[in-house]
Amino acid sequence: MVDVEFRVVSDRRDGLLLALGQTVIAAGFTLLRQRMVNSEEGVVLTMVVRGPENGLLMLEERLGTHHLVNSFEASPVDASVAATVSAPAAPAPKSPAVASNGAAGNGGPAKSVDDAATAMDTRRVESLLPQLARDYPNIFIQLLALEHDLPPPQREATLRYVGQRVGTWVYKRDYALGGHLALADAVRHIALPAMRQLVQAELHEDTLRVKNSPFCHRGEHGASCHFLRGMLGGLLGGPHGTEGMRVVESHCRNTGAETCCFEFHA
């Protein structure tokens, strides 16, 4: 793996981070942090990314030929510095967010009943969901920004909750008209194609494997793909799926595995 800092100059600010962030993710890299400022040159976007060294030339070519990029520079970054993500020391909200049936405003993913009420920034989560619905499947920039801002004790529960809401919404949008499937068939015909809209995913027997989760190697210990685990639960569980179904991330690139593996237990 290699850590690289890209300094990009553009004439346009709106949509720049979203467009180039998706280019980074599509090339198999993880966006560790970013900063955007105005200067005499134009809009300067600095991105620190991590990914396979053999894919660096391809990523540089894609950034260099992107229609929003006037010029860019690349320089190596010390891995220990790149992985440092400083979350704000904000106290956890005291009032828990309780999921309930209904619909989020502005066309956002519909709510589903979560298995536990968890302390989180409810207002931010609810305002984010319509944005995710609008930009789907280009949603990782918003999610990584949310992950960065969350206090560490809130990250897993909040990202799983957002993932569950998005998964339930995607199911209702794309798969609700189909018949009820057994869990193994639902993994193959619902979870796999839904995941492939976001990441590089494949199915090996009953295990769903993700090669390029953007949530790995971002300064968190242990398995870190909380959003993807929550989304899979929203796609396959609840009243429309298998009641009591659990999603387990059995392997994660964040802990040294080659791929992130998700198993499904009824």
Side-chain angles (χ1 to χ4, degrees):
M1 304 293 282
V2 62
D3 298 315
V4 180
E5 179 178 285
F6 289 107
R7 183 181 183 273
V8 172
V9 179
S10 176
D11 293 327
R12 175 177 156 185
R13 186 182 185 94
D14 292 343
L16 178 64
L17 178 57
L18 178 61
L20 298 191
Q22 290 300 321
T23 299
V24 168
I25 293 169
F29 284 70
T30 298
L31 181 62
L32 296 178
R33 67 174 184 266
Q34 67 280 330
R35 180 171 178 264
M36 186 156 44
V37 297
N38 293 323
S39 73
E40 294 182 355
E41 301 173 87
V43 178
V44 178
L45 172 62
T46 303
M47 300 183 295
V48 177
V49 307
R50 172 175 293 169
E53 188 171 4
N54 59 7
L56 184 57
L57 288 177
M58 179 183 68
L59 175 57
E60 290 180 345
E61 180 181 358
R62 291 182 179 180
L63 290 176
T65 57
H66 198 283
H67 70 281
L68 295 179
V69 175
N70 294 340
S71 65
F72 83 98
E73 301 173 0
S75 57
V77 178
D78 182 85
S80 62
V81 175
T84 302
V85 179
S86 56
K94 295 181 180 179
S95 57
V98 181
S100 59
N101 290 324
N106 301 324
K111 289 186 180 181
S112 61
V113 178
D114 200 358
D115 56 359
T118 309
M120 66 179 76
D121 188 342
T122 311
R123 180 176 298 178
R124 177 166 182 180
V125 167
E126 293 301 328
S127 65
L128 177 64
L129 289 169
Q131 298 177 40
L132 298 180
R134 181 194 64 211
D135 296 334
Y136 192 87
N138 300 319
I139 60 176
F140 284 138
I141 297 301
Q142 296 97 315
L143 291 171
L144 294 177
L146 173 66
E147 179 196 54
H148 178 273
D149 291 344
L150 287 169
Q154 292 185 29
R155 287 179 187 156
E156 178 175 357
T158 301
L159 288 168
R160 280 188 61 196
Y161 175 79
V162 173
Q164 183 184 34
R165 293 279 298 273
V166 171
T168 301
W169 171 73
V170 170
Y171 174 84
K172 292 181 177 179
R173 188 191 71 166
D174 296 341
Y175 303 101
L177 295 181
H180 188 277
L181 299 175
L183 180 56
D185 291 331
V187 170
R188 180 174 299 277
H189 297 294
I190 296 177
L192 181 60
M195 282 290 108
R196 282 178 170 171
Q197 294 181 40
L198 301 175
V199 291
Q200 297 174 20
E202 60 184 21
L203 194 61
H204 181 73
E205 296 181 349
D206 295 328
T207 300
L208 192 146
R209 296 181 176 181
V210 174
K211 298 180 179 179
N212 63 331
S213 168
F215 300 101
C216 300
H217 310 299
R218 291 176 56 80
E220 185 168 332
H221 297 292
S224 59
C225 306
H226 312 308
F227 171 82
L228 297 181
R229 186 156 63 103
M231 183 172 173
L232 289 167
L235 284 164
L236 303 178
H240 60 265
T242 301
E243 289 284 358
M245 189 272 305
R246 294 184 301 110
V247 182
V248 177
E249 187 177 7
S250 57
H251 296 85
C252 185
R253 287 173 50 242
N254 201 56
T255 62
E258 281 191 27
T259 59
C260 301
C261 298
F262 299 89
E263 298 178 356
F264 308 91
H265 304 280

PDB file of all heavy atoms in Angstrom, residues 109-132:
ATOM      1  N   PRO A 109     -34.289   8.042   2.571  1.00  0.00           N
ATOM      2  CA  PRO A 109     -34.599   6.651   2.870  1.00  0.00           C
ATOM      3  C   PRO A 109     -35.607   6.539   3.998  1.00  0.00           C
ATOM      4  O   PRO A 109     -35.546   7.257   4.993  1.00  0.00           O
ATOM      5  CB  PRO A 109     -33.241   6.080   3.293  1.00  0.00           C
ATOM      6  CG  PRO A 109     -32.250   6.980   2.647  1.00  0.00           C
ATOM      7  CD  PRO A 109     -32.860   8.330   2.646  1.00  0.00           C
ATOM      8  N   ALA A 110     -36.563   5.628   3.859  1.00  0.00           N
ATOM      9  CA  ALA A 110     -37.599   5.455   4.865  1.00  0.00           C
ATOM     10  C   ALA A 110     -37.013   4.872   6.129  1.00  0.00           C
ATOM     11  O   ALA A 110     -36.069   4.103   6.117  1.00  0.00           O
ATOM     12  CB  ALA A 110     -38.693   4.532   4.322  1.00  0.00           C
ATOM     13  N   LYS A 111     -37.593   5.228   7.263  1.00  0.00           N
ATOM     14  CA  LYS A 111     -37.124   4.717   8.541  1.00  0.00           C
ATOM     15  C   LYS A 111     -37.528   3.262   8.718  1.00  0.00           C
ATOM     16  O   LYS A 111     -38.547   2.813   8.232  1.00  0.00           O
ATOM     17  CB  LYS A 111     -37.727   5.529   9.686  1.00  0.00           C
ATOM     18  CG  LYS A 111     -37.179   6.937   9.824  1.00  0.00           C
ATOM     19  CD  LYS A 111     -37.738   7.591  11.064  1.00  0.00           C
ATOM     20  CE  LYS A 111     -37.204   8.997  11.231  1.00  0.00           C
ATOM     21  NZ  LYS A 111     -37.724   9.639  12.444  1.00  0.00           N
ATOM     22  N   SER A 112     -36.736   2.533   9.464  1.00  0.00           N
ATOM     23  CA  SER A 112     -37.074   1.181   9.873  1.00  0.00           C
ATOM     24  C   SER A 112     -36.773   1.055  11.348  1.00  0.00           C
ATOM     25  O   SER A 112     -36.034   1.843  11.924  1.00  0.00           O
ATOM     26  CB  SER A 112     -36.259   0.154   9.077  1.00  0.00           C
ATOM     27  OG  SER A 112     -34.887   0.344   9.315  1.00  0.00           O
ATOM     28  N   VAL A 113     -37.342   0.051  12.016  1.00  0.00           N
ATOM     29  CA  VAL A 113     -37.156  -0.113  13.439  1.00  0.00           C
ATOM     30  C   VAL A 113     -35.787  -0.711  13.701  1.00  0.00           C
ATOM     31  O   VAL A 113     -35.461  -1.779  13.216  1.00  0.00           O
ATOM     32  CB  VAL A 113     -38.256  -1.025  14.016  1.00  0.00           C
ATOM     33  CG1 VAL A 113     -38.031  -1.238  15.507  1.00  0.00           C
ATOM     34  CG2 VAL A 113     -39.617  -0.406  13.790  1.00  0.00           C
ATOM     35  N   ASP A 114     -34.954  -0.041  14.441  1.00  0.00           N
ATOM     36  CA  ASP A 114     -33.626  -0.522  14.778  1.00  0.00           C
ATOM     37  C   ASP A 114     -33.740  -1.399  16.015  1.00  0.00           C
ATOM     38  O   ASP A 114     -34.718  -1.328  16.754  1.00  0.00           O
ATOM     39  CB  ASP A 114     -32.690   0.654  15.054  1.00  0.00           C
ATOM     40  CG  ASP A 114     -31.237   0.252  14.920  1.00  0.00           C
ATOM     41  OD1 ASP A 114     -30.976  -0.930  14.652  1.00  0.00           O
ATOM     42  OD2 ASP A 114     -30.386   1.129  15.099  1.00  0.00           O
ATOM     43  N   ASP A 115     -32.730  -2.234  16.272  1.00  0.00           N
ATOM     44  CA  ASP A 115     -32.807  -3.149  17.387  1.00  0.00           C
ATOM     45  C   ASP A 115     -32.389  -2.502  18.694  1.00  0.00           C
ATOM     46  O   ASP A 115     -32.493  -3.113  19.740  1.00  0.00           O
ATOM     47  CB  ASP A 115     -31.946  -4.395  17.133  1.00  0.00           C
ATOM     48  CG  ASP A 115     -30.496  -4.037  16.846  1.00  0.00           C
ATOM     49  OD1 ASP A 115     -30.183  -2.825  16.829  1.00  0.00           O
ATOM     50  OD2 ASP A 115     -29.701  -4.954  16.639  1.00  0.00           O
ATOM     51  N   ALA A 116     -31.871  -1.276  18.659  1.00  0.00           N
ATOM     52  CA  ALA A 116     -31.496  -0.601  19.895  1.00  0.00           C
ATOM     53  C   ALA A 116     -31.474   0.891  19.657  1.00  0.00           C
ATOM     54  O   ALA A 116     -31.091   1.366  18.598  1.00  0.00           O
ATOM     55  CB  ALA A 116     -30.119  -1.074  20.361  1.00  0.00           C
ATOM     56  N   ALA A 117     -31.890   1.641  20.681  1.00  0.00           N
ATOM     57  CA  ALA A 117     -31.799   3.093  20.603  1.00  0.00           C
ATOM     58  C   ALA A 117     -30.373   3.483  20.957  1.00  0.00           C
ATOM     59  O   ALA A 117     -29.828   3.064  21.957  1.00  0.00           O
ATOM     60  CB  ALA A 117     -32.781   3.725  21.587  1.00  0.00           C
ATOM     61  N   THR A 118     -29.736   4.310  20.111  1.00  0.00           N
ATOM     62  CA  THR A 118     -28.332   4.617  20.281  1.00  0.00           C
ATOM     63  C   THR A 118     -28.128   6.118  20.282  1.00  0.00           C
ATOM     64  O   THR A 118     -28.725   6.820  19.481  1.00  0.00           O
ATOM     65  CB  THR A 118     -27.512   4.004  19.131  1.00  0.00           C
ATOM     66  OG1 THR A 118     -27.855   2.628  19.009  1.00  0.00           O
ATOM     67  CG2 THR A 118     -26.029   4.136  19.388  1.00  0.00           C
ATOM     68  N   ALA A 119     -27.288   6.592  21.188  1.00  0.00           N
ATOM     69  CA  ALA A 119     -26.991   8.018  21.225  1.00  0.00           C
ATOM     70  C   ALA A 119     -26.265   8.417  19.956  1.00  0.00           C
ATOM     71  O   ALA A 119     -25.261   7.825  19.594  1.00  0.00           O
ATOM     72  CB  ALA A 119     -26.137   8.337  22.444  1.00  0.00           C
ATOM     73  N   MET A 120     -26.774   9.438  19.271  1.00  0.00           N
ATOM     74  CA  MET A 120     -26.142   9.922  18.046  1.00  0.00           C
ATOM     75  C   MET A 120     -26.651  11.312  17.762  1.00  0.00           C
ATOM     76  O   MET A 120     -27.587  11.801  18.398  1.00  0.00           O
ATOM     77  CB  MET A 120     -26.436   8.983  16.873  1.00  0.00           C
ATOM     78  CG  MET A 120     -27.898   8.930  16.473  1.00  0.00           C
ATOM     79  SD  MET A 120     -28.226   7.831  15.077  1.00  0.00           S
ATOM     80  CE  MET A 120     -28.107   6.246  15.871  1.00  0.00           C
ATOM     81  N   ASP A 121     -26.022  11.954  16.815  1.00  0.00           N
ATOM     82  CA  ASP A 121     -26.438  13.290  16.396  1.00  0.00           C
ATOM     83  C   ASP A 121     -27.634  13.130  15.466  1.00  0.00           C
ATOM     84  O   ASP A 121     -27.508  13.081  14.246  1.00  0.00           O
ATOM     85  CB  ASP A 121     -25.277  13.991  15.697  1.00  0.00           C
ATOM     86  CG  ASP A 121     -25.574  15.453  15.414  1.00  0.00           C
ATOM     87  OD1 ASP A 121     -26.754  15.830  15.439  1.00  0.00           O
ATOM     88  OD2 ASP A 121     -24.623  16.210  15.169  1.00  0.00           O
ATOM     89  N   THR A 122     -28.816  13.052  16.049  1.00  0.00           N
ATOM     90  CA  THR A 122     -30.018  12.748  15.284  1.00  0.00           C
ATOM     91  C   THR A 122     -30.283  13.773  14.193  1.00  0.00           C
ATOM     92  O   THR A 122     -30.630  13.423  13.064  1.00  0.00           O
ATOM     93  CB  THR A 122     -31.238  12.682  16.218  1.00  0.00           C
ATOM     94  OG1 THR A 122     -30.927  11.865  17.329  1.00  0.00           O
ATOM     95  CG2 THR A 122     -32.449  12.137  15.495  1.00  0.00           C
ATOM     96  N   ARG A 123     -30.108  15.039  14.528  1.00  0.00           N
ATOM     97  CA  ARG A 123     -30.420  16.088  13.549  1.00  0.00           C
ATOM     98  C   ARG A 123     -29.532  15.951  12.316  1.00  0.00           C
ATOM     99  O   ARG A 123     -30.003  16.058  11.183  1.00  0.00           O
ATOM    100  CB  ARG A 123     -30.229  17.459  14.196  1.00  0.00           C
ATOM    101  CG  ARG A 123     -30.538  18.622  13.251  1.00  0.00           C
ATOM    102  CD  ARG A 123     -30.434  19.946  13.971  1.00  0.00           C
ATOM    103  NE  ARG A 123     -31.396  20.027  15.060  1.00  0.00           N
ATOM    104  CZ  ARG A 123     -31.491  21.072  15.884  1.00  0.00           C
ATOM    105  NH1 ARG A 123     -30.678  22.106  15.728  1.00  0.00           N
ATOM    106  NH2 ARG A 123     -32.389  21.088  16.835  1.00  0.00           N
ATOM    107  N   ARG A 124     -28.240  15.709  12.530  1.00  0.00           N
ATOM    108  CA  ARG A 124     -27.345  15.588  11.386  1.00  0.00           C
ATOM    109  C   ARG A 124     -27.671  14.356  10.567  1.00  0.00           C
ATOM    110  O   ARG A 124     -27.660  14.399   9.333  1.00  0.00           O
ATOM    111  CB  ARG A 124     -25.885  15.531  11.856  1.00  0.00           C
ATOM    112  CG  ARG A 124     -24.930  15.339  10.679  1.00  0.00           C
ATOM    113  CD  ARG A 124     -23.504  15.598  11.020  1.00  0.00           C
ATOM    114  NE  ARG A 124     -22.656  15.449   9.837  1.00  0.00           N
ATOM    115  CZ  ARG A 124     -21.350  15.618   9.819  1.00  0.00           C
ATOM    116  NH1 ARG A 124     -20.725  15.950  10.930  1.00  0.00           N
ATOM    117  NH2 ARG A 124     -20.655  15.461   8.712  1.00  0.00           N
ATOM    118  N   VAL A 125     -27.969  13.230  11.231  1.00  0.00           N
ATOM    119  CA  VAL A 125     -28.291  12.005  10.505  1.00  0.00           C
ATOM    120  C   VAL A 125     -29.535  12.211   9.645  1.00  0.00           C
ATOM    121  O   VAL A 125     -29.571  11.842   8.469  1.00  0.00           O
ATOM    122  CB  VAL A 125     -28.484  10.839  11.489  1.00  0.00           C
ATOM    123  CG1 VAL A 125     -29.124   9.642  10.792  1.00  0.00           C
ATOM    124  CG2 VAL A 125     -27.151  10.437  12.110  1.00  0.00           C
ATOM    125  N   GLU A 126     -30.574  12.809  10.225  1.00  0.00           N
ATOM    126  CA  GLU A 126     -31.821  12.988   9.478  1.00  0.00           C
ATOM    127  C   GLU A 126     -31.643  13.958   8.311  1.00  0.00           C
ATOM    128  O   GLU A 126     -32.280  13.803   7.272  1.00  0.00           O
ATOM    129  CB  GLU A 126     -32.927  13.480  10.418  1.00  0.00           C
ATOM    130  CG  GLU A 126     -33.335  12.457  11.465  1.00  0.00           C
ATOM    131  CD  GLU A 126     -33.852  11.158  10.867  1.00  0.00           C
ATOM    132  OE1 GLU A 126     -34.454  11.187   9.770  1.00  0.00           O
ATOM    133  OE2 GLU A 126     -33.636  10.109  11.480  1.00  0.00           O
ATOM    134  N   SER A 127     -30.792  14.961   8.474  1.00  0.00           N
ATOM    135  CA  SER A 127     -30.557  15.893   7.362  1.00  0.00           C
ATOM    136  C   SER A 127     -29.671  15.265   6.289  1.00  0.00           C
ATOM    137  O   SER A 127     -29.729  15.649   5.118  1.00  0.00           O
ATOM    138  CB  SER A 127     -29.907  17.181   7.879  1.00  0.00           C
ATOM    139  OG  SER A 127     -28.608  16.935   8.394  1.00  0.00           O
ATOM    140  N   LEU A 128     -28.856  14.278   6.679  1.00  0.00           N
ATOM    141  CA  LEU A 128     -27.972  13.624   5.720  1.00  0.00           C
ATOM    142  C   LEU A 128     -28.715  12.652   4.816  1.00  0.00           C
ATOM    143  O   LEU A 128     -28.374  12.506   3.633  1.00  0.00           O
ATOM    144  CB  LEU A 128     -26.865  12.882   6.472  1.00  0.00           C
ATOM    145  CG  LEU A 128     -25.872  12.071   5.628  1.00  0.00           C
ATOM    146  CD1 LEU A 128     -25.065  12.981   4.711  1.00  0.00           C
ATOM    147  CD2 LEU A 128     -24.937  11.270   6.538  1.00  0.00           C
ATOM    148  N   LEU A 129     -29.727  11.971   5.343  1.00  0.00           N
ATOM    149  CA  LEU A 129     -30.399  10.916   4.586  1.00  0.00           C
ATOM    150  C   LEU A 129     -30.981  11.399   3.256  1.00  0.00           C
ATOM    151  O   LEU A 129     -30.804  10.721   2.236  1.00  0.00           O
ATOM    152  CB  LEU A 129     -31.472  10.251   5.454  1.00  0.00           C
ATOM    153  CG  LEU A 129     -30.918   9.389   6.585  1.00  0.00           C
ATOM    154  CD1 LEU A 129     -32.036   8.986   7.545  1.00  0.00           C
ATOM    155  CD2 LEU A 129     -30.205   8.157   6.056  1.00  0.00           C
ATOM    156  N   PRO A 130     -31.665  12.539   3.199  1.00  0.00           N
ATOM    157  CA  PRO A 130     -32.140  13.004   1.885  1.00  0.00           C
ATOM    158  C   PRO A 130     -31.005  13.296   0.909  1.00  0.00           C
ATOM    159  O   PRO A 130     -31.156  13.091  -0.294  1.00  0.00           O
ATOM    160  CB  PRO A 130     -32.927  14.275   2.226  1.00  0.00           C
ATOM    161  CG  PRO A 130     -33.308  14.118   3.659  1.00  0.00           C
ATOM    162  CD  PRO A 130     -32.173  13.379   4.294  1.00  0.00           C
ATOM    163  N   GLN A 131     -29.858  13.768   1.421  1.00  0.00           N
ATOM    164  CA  GLN A 131     -28.712  14.010   0.545  1.00  0.00           C
ATOM    165  C   GLN A 131     -28.185  12.696  -0.035  1.00  0.00           C
ATOM    166  O   GLN A 131     -27.824  12.629  -1.212  1.00  0.00           O
ATOM    167  CB  GLN A 131     -27.599  14.699   1.329  1.00  0.00           C
ATOM    168  CG  GLN A 131     -27.961  16.057   1.881  1.00  0.00           C
ATOM    169  CD  GLN A 131     -26.834  16.641   2.705  1.00  0.00           C
ATOM    170  OE1 GLN A 131     -25.659  16.535   2.362  1.00  0.00           O
ATOM    171  NE2 GLN A 131     -27.168  17.273   3.819  1.00  0.00           N
ATOM    172  N   LEU A 132     -28.150  11.655   0.794  1.00  0.00           N
ATOM    173  CA  LEU A 132     -27.698  10.357   0.302  1.00  0.00           C
ATOM    174  C   LEU A 132     -28.651   9.820  -0.767  1.00  0.00           C
ATOM    175  O   LEU A 132     -28.213   9.229  -1.756  1.00  0.00           O
ATOM    176  CB  LEU A 132     -27.593   9.368   1.459  1.00  0.00           C
ATOM    177  CG  LEU A 132     -26.589   9.721   2.569  1.00  0.00           C
ATOM    178  CD1 LEU A 132     -26.600   8.642   3.650  1.00  0.00           C
ATOM    179  CD2 LEU A 132     -25.188   9.895   2.010  1.00  0.00           C
TER     180      LEU A 132
END
